[in-house]
Amino acid sequence: MNERIKELIKQSQKEVWGNNPYNGSPEFEGYELDPEKFAELILREAANVADDNFDAGFCPVGYFILKHFGVME
């Protein structure tokens, strides 16, 4: 797997919390992939690559990618 993809997966982790079965207090259970965050990071990366390598003349291509998927800054 591409090292950049591995890094984006790490950035997309979220904490998972549950309740302690004995006293009901919050308890950290670990991490899991946040698929929405991962998809957003992939789209942003693709838009940056497009912007760095091609210009549509009046507007960078990455803008259209982000707009299409609703991932605007």
Side-chain angles (χ1 to χ4, degrees):
M1 183 182 304
N2 181 305
E3 289 301 315
R4 186 65 187 130
I5 297 292
K6 289 179 185 178
E7 180 59 33
L8 295 177
I9 289 171
K10 286 180 187 176
Q11 292 177 23
S12 301
Q13 298 295 309
K14 64 180 177 180
E15 293 182 354
V16 177
W17 288 82
N19 291 322
N20 183 303
Y22 300 106
N23 62 16
S25 65
E27 184 172 81
F28 177 71
E29 295 181 352
Y31 295 94
E32 70 181 18
L33 181 70
D34 180 341
E36 288 182 15
K37 180 67 174 176
F38 183 64
E40 180 179 332
L41 291 174
I42 291 286
L43 285 170
R44 289 186 183 282
E45 187 87 6
N48 287 337
V49 169
D51 286 347
D52 290 346
N53 294 288
F54 182 78
D55 189 333
F58 65 93
C59 192
V61 175
Y63 167 82
F64 293 110
I65 293 171
L66 294 176
K67 184 175 179 185
H68 176 79
F69 286 100
V71 182
M72 299 295 293
E73 292 183 335

